[in-house]
Amino acid sequence: MTEQTAFTETDERITLRRQVAKLAGGYGRDYFTAQARSGGKTTELWLEIGRNGYLGINIPEEYGGGGGGIGDVAAVCEELAAQGCPLLMMVVSPAICGTVINRFGTEEQKRTWLPGIADGTATMAFAITEPDAGTNSHNITTTARREGDGWVLKGQKIYISGVDEASNVLVVARAEDSKTGRLKPCLFVVPTDAAGFEYTPIPMEIVSPEQQFSVFIDDVRLPAGALVGDPGDTDAGLRQLFAGLNPERIMAASFSTGLARFALDKAVAYVKEREVFGVPIGSHQGLAHPLAMSKIEIELARLMTQKAAALYDAGDDAAAGEAANMAKYAAAEAACDAADRAVQAHGGNGITQEYGVAGLLVAARAGRIAPVSREMILNYVGMHSLGLPKSY
Ligand SMILES: Cc1cc2nc3c(=O)[nH]c(=O)nc-3n(C[C@H](O)[C@H](O)[C@H](O)COP(=O)(O)OP(=O)(O)OC[C@H]3O[C@@H](n4cnc5c(N)ncnc54)[C@H](O)[C@@H]3O)c2cc1C
């Protein structure tokens, strides 16, 4: 057993990574792309990681989880992606929704929703983005009005991942505060089969079985218990949203570093084999250096991701915020560059479906846009790390 330092992971985490890599390797990229191209899903893989306790490893044991931290579930997300199976719903269901419900849900809400999130049998999607509000989520117009003891939701969401695979969606709406009369954000758990809840897939260029959806919420009636947390707490919704941000960014970073590792591994294997001037093309620095740069960029992004996760798991939300934003930025950049370099290293083969490299470009590129764009991270760092004036 090696001694742990600030820069190494525990033996337990390393074993977790190895086990997840082995499980995901049994499925691999061919399975993932075959499902994507045939309109299939990754349900078997999802349920298997659930059965093995990896999906809900960050959820407390009393609610069916593994009692670990965000660093554990981020490691699972990264290893899946590194085996060619990047699962966006890992970011959404256990990390964003699982965190919000665990931190703010009532006892009954935790008992109702967390076990299914943990074992993958009741996946939860997350819906904040709206067509007209976009990045500016203060401008969302989905509203919740009280009706008797319950609520009626109305509005529209866009780019919501995995609604077809989810049992529920954690929907961000605005409701009138009963004390102040002002509109405040509130989070509701909406069953995907609720009357008035409709969704249609958005054709995307990403090669993935996980799809994005436009969601139409047309007078969806919900019981009082659908509102997450204490209804009397005026700014609960805002705190819930903020609580989801660090897990979201740490997981998105892990998704990207895993994808980047997968692209780099493919490129390295290829340039070691392919010969056109009598030596493997990897002997040429024109190919070796960009791949070495990717190796450095990926390791730097992984280190920052682990730092963010360690700070978050230690309860330091504020310090985790800066690190999580930086990690997410660095990881998305590393993934975009690694995917691009992998395509280049493969020459013409890089654009074929057979080699499956070009398909990584859009998936990596999405990491610069979602769940938070690179520009908004630069805005955050400009304001919070550098003390510059707010620019928007
Ligand atoms: C694959 C994928 C999955 C997604 N899954 C989900 C999901 O599950 N749930 C969910 O709610 N949403 C989801 N989204 C939505 C995602 O969070 C948004 O696309 C993202 O927040 C950007 O919003 P937008 O697309 O409306 O872009 P816009 O807000 O229109 O922005 C367009 C561009 O302008 C830039 N910009 C805007 N304002 C500023 C500013 N002040 N300063 C500098 N630049 C600025 C942005 O960075 C961006 O590059 C997903 C998106 C994708 C692509």
Side-chain angles (χ1 to χ4, degrees):
M1 190 162 109
T2 50
E3 199 180 326
Q4 196 203 341
T5 72
F7 302 101
T8 56
E9 291 186 307
T10 59
D11 286 345
E12 215 179 356
R13 177 79 57 77
I14 292 165
T15 305
L16 170 68
R17 286 186 182 277
R18 209 173 289 136
Q19 287 167 339
V20 174
K22 189 168 171 223
L23 189 160
Y27 289 84
R29 187 69 185 172
D30 288 347
Y31 160 81
F32 190 85
T33 45
Q35 294 304 95
R37 295 201 196 282
S38 66
K41 296 289 161 192
T42 42
T43 315
E44 297 159 88
L45 170 60
W46 185 252
L47 290 176
E48 192 173 348
I49 54 176
R51 269 195 309 278
N52 281 275
Y54 304 139
L55 189 56
I57 196 163
N58 61 316
I59 288 170
E61 287 174 17
E62 63 263 44
Y63 305 114
I70 200 75
D72 296 309
V73 74
V76 174
C77 181
E78 184 188 337
E79 295 307 321
L80 284 164
Q83 294 299 320
C85 301
L87 296 181
L88 260 183
M89 292 312 282
M90 287 275 333
V91 179
V92 177
S93 188
I96 302 177
C97 300
T99 299
V100 169
I101 288 167
N102 183 43
R103 281 178 66 165
F104 296 92
T106 62
E107 186 57 30
E108 193 188 340
Q109 289 175 334
K110 292 188 213 184
R111 296 217 174 275
T112 306
W113 293 312
L114 291 179
I117 290 177
D119 69 10
T121 56
T123 300
M124 198 175 283
F126 178 68
I128 184 167
T129 309
E130 295 187 3
D132 292 334
T135 301
N136 188 357
S137 44
H138 295 292
N139 279 350
I140 62 167
T141 56
T142 296
T143 49
R145 65 182 157 80
R146 284 174 200 273
E147 194 181 76
D149 282 349
W151 297 92
V152 181
L153 256 62
K154 195 173 189 57
Q156 191 183 340
K157 300 285 176 183
I158 196 166
Y159 301 125
I160 310 308
S161 299
V163 183
D164 57 337
E165 299 182 75
S167 305
N168 298 288
V169 184
L170 186 60
V171 173
V172 185
R174 302 176 88 203
E176 206 173 82
D177 188 289
S178 55
K179 291 180 205 140
T180 64
R182 279 206 298 269
L183 284 177
K184 59 174 187 178
C186 289
L187 278 67
F188 293 87
V189 175
V190 182
T192 48
D193 60 2
F197 185 90
E198 306 283 340
Y199 49 98
T200 54
I202 303 169
M204 304 286 277
E205 296 286 2
I206 307 173
V207 183
S208 171
E210 295 177 317
Q211 290 181 282
Q212 278 67 48
F213 293 83
S214 290
V215 173
F216 306 93
I217 305 168
D218 189 12
D219 286 339
V220 172
R221 290 184 155 68
L222 298 169
L227 172 72
V228 177
D230 173 4
D233 185 347
T234 304
D235 46 51
L238 212 53
R239 282 189 280 115
Q240 289 168 19
L241 283 176
F242 276 108
L245 293 183
N246 283 335
E248 168 195 280
R249 276 146 217 210
I250 292 166
M251 292 297 280
S254 302
F255 181 95
S256 291
T257 53
L259 200 65
R261 281 170 55 197
F262 178 73
L264 182 61
D265 286 350
K266 263 185 106 73
V268 169
Y270 188 80
V271 302
K272 281 180 180 167
E273 292 292 325
R274 172 81 172 154
E275 292 188 13
V276 285
F277 284 96
V279 289
I281 54 173
S283 331
H284 310 306
Q285 287 184 340
L287 284 177
H289 280 185
L291 299 184
M293 286 157 69
S294 276
K295 176 68 180 164
I296 294 167
E297 290 158 13
I298 292 167
E299 289 308 319
L300 292 175
R302 293 183 74 218
L303 196 57
M304 189 53 105
T305 308
Q306 286 166 12
K307 175 178 172 178
L311 287 166
Y312 179 83
D313 285 333
D316 192 344
D317 278 356
E322 183 184 60
N325 274 288
M326 290 181 174
K328 198 267 165 191
Y329 174 91
E333 297 304 304
C336 288
D337 288 340
D340 189 54
R341 288 164 188 163
V343 170
Q344 194 65 18
H346 279 77
N349 286 337
I351 319 284
T352 61
Q353 286 199 356
E354 183 189 347
Y355 282 81
V357 191
L360 299 172
L361 285 172
V362 185
R365 201 65 189 66
R368 275 198 182 133
I369 297 164
V372 56
S373 71
R374 70 199 288 271
E375 291 75 23
M376 292 314 284
I377 293 185
L378 294 172
N379 284 337
Y380 175 97
V381 172
M383 273 171 67
H384 297 282
S385 308
L386 304 180
L388 297 174
K390 187 173 178 177
S391 61
Y392 58 95

